[in-house]
């Protein structure tokens, strides 16, 4: 048993006035004798001392009388911290010096604090042991349970009550251990036990086992601008909220499974295309409790989509339950995300039963569409061999003071194992949102569900799985290599391209982590700019970086715009920085069966022989919901290191590029939007280093130059692709 200090820092003695030496001696004796809790020495009065002589070491002491102690005990119950006036009055009534009264109260407070902490420590230890016993009992019950029908081991799904109880007890157990270790740390000097966001697999595992990774990159998604905004200020749930969250997650899981598996009359197929619409009346009949009525001023949006993807079902579950992998794979949709608290890590060494409280911000790649911020719980459960489900549901009702512009009803995906490492994914998105701040040219796309709906999630996942399969392939055709001579060089180039795409996506939308400033002008194609300082980041050049973006509608099919922008032969028609030079593809890496999905290394042979040639790293990608062409100038020497298999993290990049979306829903052919209303929504975004000194001030001339650059690029694109 530890011995607590008798005086803590909050009750240190007031040494501002002059204290006689004998009073200090008395204080030390008081400290010794006050351990009994009642025996407090009395200091000699001023009449007993000769002011012209040093105090005699022999002092006259007497203990406080029983009456004095009872009176001070009674006063202490009413006022443990008497002020000077109260101490003087109490001393006068009890024939004690104010200093004696002060010391008694200090000792009493210290004594009470020590007793309280000893009692709390003992109580916590007892409760800790009880929780450990309960924890073991539930585990044994879960392990020894038998099915009432066949007598065999019970399936996890049949133990839902015990599972939930076990999760609650585990969460409480972790917190009790934290509290006990915190108390002990004050006395024995040991650091507190730290329970971070725990994963049953330890550190984040890469999806490709060392080929290229979707692991978090320095300064990528959610870290580009480092603002302290609303999303990052959200705190985790309170202790009282946790049982409610567990109950809500279990109900959301049941709703998601039925939403994914039930067809008519819940989902009504469209007669015009392959889409389907949720019947609101049937939904309310089937789920009468749910999350309650739709919030005033919010619109409903529900969609469902299925696809077969090239990814093992377990790997896919791990991707969805790891916030870094999830936000990086879906970087075009998830601008930022974080796990606030892990309520359960799951059982049996995997994510079965895992429960996480999260916050995320969802985006469309344009400054004209506000992001959707959500505070939600994510629950993962295995329902049968090879079948898993991951569901999200908003927790906004636990924060009644907050005003939400979007709310997630049970949304997520059902994952079914297929042979040869494939999985069937059925995705459901069911949200309520406020579209009043969406720009008019994007309203048709947003209200159709194509911007944030299930089709976009599944299409993005399918494309990323194809990219990963291509990365892991060892049979590289010789004609596909170019200047890349080794598999290591191929992997390094793909990893560099991945970081480039993440950086572009994190800065092109309307995330609240950064603020766009609109330059003077009119119409939807206003240029928006923002600045940031780049310092001590090996992945970016140091200095002042100016980002500029604009979005506009063009009456040309998205596939035509995409093919024009990604083709090196037509680059000189729009790329002002190439100065009309000849562009040659030096290396090409396919990222799936679609020829438009690839990573390229381009060399711009300057028309002026006195200027050095420039290298450009480019990745183009397309699916049924949108396309990207993203590029960045790269240093020749640094790129040579990458092509030989060197570390690409130290190559400085400032990505620019294009995001191409259809202007509305329509028929799709070959994975590319072919027929909508016939137009495209094009976002152009540039990043330019305007000063190599990070402490320099941005000049108006730099802003004007970038404004002219982006507007000239837009005019060139409009003139080149022409009318449909």
């Amino acid at each position: 048993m530890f011995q607590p200090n008798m005086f803590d820092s909050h009750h240190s003695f007031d040494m501002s006035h002059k204290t006689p030496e004998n009073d200090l001696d008395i204080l030390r004796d008081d400290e010794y004798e006050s351990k009994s809790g009642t025996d407090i020495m009395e200091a000699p009065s001023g009449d007993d001392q000769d002011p012209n002589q040093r105090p005699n070491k022999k002092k006259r002491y007497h203990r406080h009388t029983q009456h004095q102690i009872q009176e001070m005990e009674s006063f202490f119950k009413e006022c443990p911290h008497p002020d000077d006036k109260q101490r003087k009055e109490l001393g006068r009534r009890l024939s004690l010096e104010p200093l004696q009264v002060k010391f008694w109260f200090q000792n009493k407070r210290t004594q009470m604090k020590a007793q309280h902490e000893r009692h709390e420590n003992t109580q916590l230890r007892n409760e800790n042991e009880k929780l450990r016993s309960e924890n073991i009992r539930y585990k044994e019950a879960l392990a020894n349970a038998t099915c009432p029908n066949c007598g065999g081991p019970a399936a996890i799904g049949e133990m839902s009550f015990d599972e939930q109880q076990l999760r609650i007890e585990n969460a409480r157990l972790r917190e009790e251990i934290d509290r006990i270790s915190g108390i002990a740390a004050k006395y024995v000097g040991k650091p507190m036990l730290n329970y971070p966001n725990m994963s049953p697999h330890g550190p984040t595992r890469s999806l490709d086992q060392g080929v290229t990774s979707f692991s978090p990159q320095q300064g990528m998604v959610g870290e580009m601008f480092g603002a302290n905004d609303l999303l990052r200020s959200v705190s985790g749930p309170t202790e009282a909220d946790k049982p409610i969250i567990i109950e809500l997650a279990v109900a959301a899981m049941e709703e998601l499974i039925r939403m994914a598996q039930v067809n008519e009359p819940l989902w009504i197929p469209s007669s015009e295309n392959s889409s389907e619409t949720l019947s609101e009346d049937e939904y309310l009949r089937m789920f009468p409790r749910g999350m309650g009525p739709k919030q005033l001023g919010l619109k409903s949006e529900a969609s469902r989509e299925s696809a077969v993807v090239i990814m093992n079902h377990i790997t896919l579950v791990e991707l969805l339950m790891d916030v870094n992998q999830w936000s990086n794979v879906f970087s075009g949709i998830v601008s930022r995300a974080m796990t606030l608290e892990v309520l359960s890590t799951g059982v049996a060494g995997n994510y079965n039963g895992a429960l996480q409280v999260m916050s995320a911000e969802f985006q469309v790649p344009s400054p004209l569409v506000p992001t959707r911020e959500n505070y939600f719980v994510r629950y993962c459960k295995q329902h049968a061999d090879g079948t898993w489900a991951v569901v999200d549901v908003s927790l906004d009702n636990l924060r009644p003071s907050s005003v939400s512009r979007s709310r997630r009803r049970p949304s997520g995906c059902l994952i079914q194992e297929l042979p040869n490492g494939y999985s069937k994914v059925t995705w459901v998105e069911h949200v309520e949102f406020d579209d009043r701040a969406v720009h008019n040219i994007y309203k048709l796309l947003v209200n159709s569900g194509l911007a944030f709906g299930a089709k976009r999630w599944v299409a993005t996942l399918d494309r990323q799985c194809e990219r990963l399969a291509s990365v892991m392939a060892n049979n590289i055709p010789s004609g596909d290599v170019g200047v890349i001579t080794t598999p290591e060089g191929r992997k390094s180039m793909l990893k560099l391209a991945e970081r480039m795409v993440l950086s572009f996506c994190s800065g092109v939308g309307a995330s609240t982590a950064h603020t766009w400033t609109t330059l003077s002008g009119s119409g939807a194609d206003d240029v928006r700019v923002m600045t940031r300082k780049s310092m001590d980041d090996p992945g970016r050049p140091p200095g002042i970086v100016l980002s500029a973006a604009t979005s506009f509608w063009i009456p040309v099919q998205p596939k035509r715009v995409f093919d024009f922008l990604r083709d090196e032969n037509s680059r000189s028609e729009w790329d002002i920085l190439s100065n009309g030079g000849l562009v040659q593809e030096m290396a090409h890496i396919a990222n799936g069966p679609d020829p438009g999905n690839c990573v390229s290394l381009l060399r711009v042979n300057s028309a002026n022989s006195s200027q050095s040639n420039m290298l450009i790293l480019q990745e183009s990608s397309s699916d049924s919901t949108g396309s990207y062409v993203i590029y960045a100038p790269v240093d020749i020497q640094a790129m040579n290191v990458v092509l030989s298999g060197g570390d690409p993290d130290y190559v400085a990049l400032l990505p620019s590029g294009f995001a191409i979306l259809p202007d509305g829903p329509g028929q799709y052919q070959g994975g590319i939007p072919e027929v909508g209303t016939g137009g495209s929504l094009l976002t152009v975004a540039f990043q330019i280093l305007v000063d190599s000194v990070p402490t320099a001030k941005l000049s108006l001339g730099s802003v004007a130059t970038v404004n002219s650059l982006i507007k000239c690029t837009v005019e060139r694109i409009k003139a080149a692709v022409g009318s449909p």
Side-chain angles (χ1 to χ4, degrees):
M1 179 66 68
F2 57 82
Q3 174 61 51
N5 295 327
M6 296 304 299
F7 299 97
D8 64 4
S9 58
H10 299 290
H11 304 131
S12 58
F13 291 99
D14 183 6
M15 303 300 291
S16 59
H17 57 71
K18 295 182 179 180
T19 304
E21 182 180 340
N22 63 326
D23 284 343
L24 295 178
D25 291 336
I26 293 169
L27 173 58
R28 286 190 285 269
D29 291 338
D30 280 347
E31 180 182 353
Y32 174 78
E33 296 211 16
S34 65
K35 293 178 183 177
S36 66
T38 58
D39 297 335
I40 308 297
M41 298 297 185
E42 182 184 24
S45 65
D47 295 338
D48 297 327
Q49 302 180 56
D50 184 348
N52 299 321
Q53 295 180 359
R54 289 181 58 84
N56 194 332
K57 289 186 179 180
K58 290 185 179 181
K59 311 172 187 68
R60 293 190 302 107
Y61 302 115
H62 70 81
R63 301 183 186 278
H64 295 318
T65 66
Q66 191 65 28
H67 171 71
Q68 290 171 332
I69 293 174
Q70 287 176 350
E71 287 294 316
M72 287 190 288
E73 290 274 9
S74 178
F75 196 93
F76 183 87
K77 292 178 182 179
E78 301 295 329
C79 179
H81 293 271
D83 56 24
D84 288 340
K85 184 178 179 181
Q86 291 170 317
R87 286 197 297 266
K88 288 179 181 178
E89 175 61 25
L90 190 58
R92 185 189 63 77
R93 286 198 292 113
L94 300 178
S95 300
L96 294 173
E97 293 294 328
L99 191 61
Q100 291 175 282
V101 176
K102 178 180 179 180
F103 289 166
W104 188 93
F105 273 84
Q106 284 178 334
N107 281 341
K108 184 65 176 178
R109 287 194 298 268
T110 303
Q111 181 189 52
M112 294 297 293
K113 180 181 177 183
Q115 288 176 349
H116 175 74
E117 289 185 337
R118 282 198 295 269
H119 174 73
E120 185 183 40
N121 197 7
T122 302
Q123 188 179 36
L124 290 177
R125 289 185 184 278
N126 292 337
E127 190 172 353
N128 189 13
E129 289 303 318
K130 179 183 175 182
L131 289 173
R132 287 182 183 276
S133 299
E134 289 291 304
N135 194 7
I136 294 171
R137 184 172 68 83
Y138 280 117
K139 285 183 177 179
E140 290 175 349
L142 197 61
N144 299 327
T146 57
C147 176
N149 296 324
C150 66
I156 295 297
E158 299 170 8
M159 297 294 293
S160 59
F161 176 77
D162 280 351
E163 270 192 32
Q164 302 314 316
Q165 293 298 316
L166 181 58
R167 291 187 199 117
I168 294 172
E169 296 300 324
N170 277 340
R172 289 180 59 192
L173 180 61
R174 283 198 295 268
E175 289 171 4
E176 295 303 330
I177 294 173
D178 278 349
R179 291 175 62 189
I180 292 173
S181 62
I183 294 172
K186 292 191 296 185
Y187 299 107
V188 300
K190 293 182 179 179
M192 284 188 64
L193 292 176
N194 185 24
Y195 288 91
N197 291 346
M198 290 173 289
S199 167
H201 311 292
T204 299
R205 297 198 296 185
S206 171
L207 295 182
D208 59 355
Q209 299 161 356
V211 179
T212 187
S213 79
F214 290 110
S215 58
Q217 300 284 349
Q218 180 72 27
M220 289 297 103
V221 178
E223 299 294 338
M224 185 171 180
F225 300 92
N228 293 322
D229 59 290
L230 177 63
L231 189 67
R232 292 194 172 275
S233 66
V234 175
S235 60
T238 65
E239 192 65 30
D241 289 340
K242 292 178 182 178
I244 303 173
I245 292 173
I246 293 173
E247 182 179 353
L248 185 62
V250 172
M253 178 62 72
E254 295 176 359
E255 181 173 323
L256 174 72
I257 297 301
R258 296 180 71 185
M259 292 275 285
Q261 295 179 337
V262 176
N263 295 320
E264 295 188 71
L266 183 61
W267 293 97
I268 304 171
S270 172
S271 58
E272 299 178 357
N273 51 40
S274 59
S275 65
E276 52 189 2
T277 305
L278 179 70
S279 168
E280 293 285 348
D281 292 339
E282 184 64 22
Y283 173 79
L284 293 175
R285 187 194 68 79
M286 189 174 290
F287 308 106
R289 294 177 61 190
M291 292 177 60
K294 181 171 62 178
Q295 292 185 355
L296 190 65
L298 299 184
K299 290 187 175 182
S300 292
E301 173 185 295
S303 56
R304 184 174 68 168
E305 188 75 13
S306 296
V308 175
V309 299
I310 314 174
M311 182 173 285
N312 175 275
H313 65 292
I314 297 297
T315 306
L316 185 51
V317 168
E318 292 175 354
L319 182 155
L320 296 172
M321 297 306 295
D322 184 299
V323 67
N324 292 316
Q325 292 190 43
W326 174 66
S327 58
N328 288 351
V329 167
F330 294 101
S331 59
I333 307 175
V334 182
S335 58
R336 293 176 301 151
M338 62 191 304
T339 300
L340 300 173
E341 186 165 349
V342 176
L343 301 185
S344 172
T345 58
V347 297
N350 55 37
Y351 282 106
N352 183 26
L355 206 62
Q356 303 174 357
V357 177
M358 307 173 65
S359 62
E361 186 181 48
F362 305 103
Q363 68 170 356
V364 168
S366 169
L368 300 183
V369 182
T371 56
R372 297 179 179 180
E373 297 178 5
N374 289 126
Y375 172 60
F376 58 95
V377 59
R378 175 165 294 178
Y379 178 36
C380 176
K381 186 173 179 61
Q382 182 180 12
H383 292 270
D385 289 341
T387 302
W388 292 71
V390 178
V391 65
D392 297 344
V393 62
S394 281
L395 300 176
D396 299 274
N397 291 339
L398 301 181
R399 296 184 303 159
S401 60
S402 64
V403 179
S404 175
R405 291 189 295 110
S406 68
R407 185 168 72 150
R408 287 176 75 75
R409 287 184 177 269
S411 304
C413 63
L414 185 67
I415 305 165
Q416 296 170 281
E417 180 185 12
L418 296 179
N420 302 319
Y422 284 72
S423 299
K424 181 183 178 182
V425 176
T426 302
W427 204 290
V428 174
E429 280 292 304
H430 192 190
V431 300
E432 296 169 356
F433 66 98
D434 181 357
D435 72 334
R436 286 174 292 184
V438 177
H439 196 281
N440 285 335
I441 67 172
Y442 278 90
K443 280 202 170 179
L444 180 59
L445 178 73
V446 171
N447 292 332
S448 71
L450 202 59
F452 292 96
K455 181 183 285 290
R456 187 170 174 224
W457 285 94
V458 170
T460 301
L461 176 63
D462 188 27
R463 174 168 49 81
Q464 291 283 35
C465 289
E466 287 182 349
R467 185 187 196 280
L468 181 60
S470 173
V471 168
M472 298 178 68
N474 294 320
N475 53 338
I476 309 170
S478 58
D480 196 35
V481 176
V483 298
I484 307 174
T485 57
T486 64
E488 290 75 17
R490 184 174 184 267
K491 296 169 187 175
S492 292
M493 181 168 160
L494 285 170
K495 188 177 180 182
L496 182 62
E498 178 191 52
R499 175 160 66 87
M500 176 180 69
V501 171
L502 291 173
S503 178
F504 176 84
C505 290
S506 67
V508 72
S511 172
T512 56
H514 46 72
T515 304
W516 292 103
T517 299
T518 303
L519 300 182
S520 59
S522 60
D525 57 351
D526 286 345
V527 176
R528 289 162 169 77
V529 297
M530 60 181 167
T531 60
R532 60 180 168 81
K533 295 179 181 180
S534 177
M535 298 176 66
D536 302 324
D537 184 352
R540 297 194 189 97
I544 301 295
V545 176
L546 181 63
S547 299
T550 188
S551 297
F552 59 95
W553 178 81
I554 185 170
V556 182
Q557 294 176 1
K559 177 172 171 47
R560 182 175 175 183
V561 178
F562 174 68
D563 288 339
F564 169 75
L565 293 173
R566 74 179 178 86
D567 188 354
E568 70 273 13
N569 295 319
S570 58
R571 189 179 189 95
S572 59
E573 296 183 46
W574 59 264
D575 189 357
I576 300 172
L577 299 180
S578 65
N579 294 320
L582 177 66
V583 181
Q584 176 187 3
E585 186 178 57
M586 299 177 62
H588 179 96
I589 302 175
N591 268 341
D594 191 307
N597 293 343
C598 64
V599 175
S600 304
L601 184 63
L602 309 176
R603 179 171 61 195
V604 181
N605 298 309
S606 176
N608 187 342
S609 58
S610 63
Q611 294 181 347
S612 60
N613 294 335
M614 178 172 59
L615 291 182
I616 296 174
L617 179 67
Q618 175 176 294
E619 176 161 348
S620 57
S621 59
S622 183
D623 58 51
S624 61
T625 61
S627 310
Y628 294 88
V629 178
I630 302 168
Y631 63 91
V634 289
D635 179 74
I636 293 179
Q637 292 182 341
M639 201 63 211
N640 283 333
V641 174
V642 172
L643 294 174
S644 62
D647 187 355
D649 290 343
Y650 295 94
V651 178
L653 291 177
L654 283 179
S656 300
F658 308 92
I660 311 154
L661 301 177
D663 58 2
Q667 301 292 333
Y668 301 93
Q669 300 175 8
I672 305 294
E674 291 283 2
V675 181
T677 59
S680 301
L681 297 169
L682 180 60
T683 297
V684 183
F686 286 160
Q687 288 190 86
I688 297 176
L689 186 70
V690 295
D691 199 308
S692 59
V693 180
T695 56
K697 292 185 178 180
L698 181 68
S699 67
L700 293 178
S702 299
V703 176
T705 300
V706 173
N707 185 37
S708 300
L709 174 64
I710 199 168
K711 287 199 169 185
C712 184
T713 302
V714 169
E715 292 304 318
R716 286 193 175 196
I717 292 172
K718 288 181 177 179
V721 296
S723 58

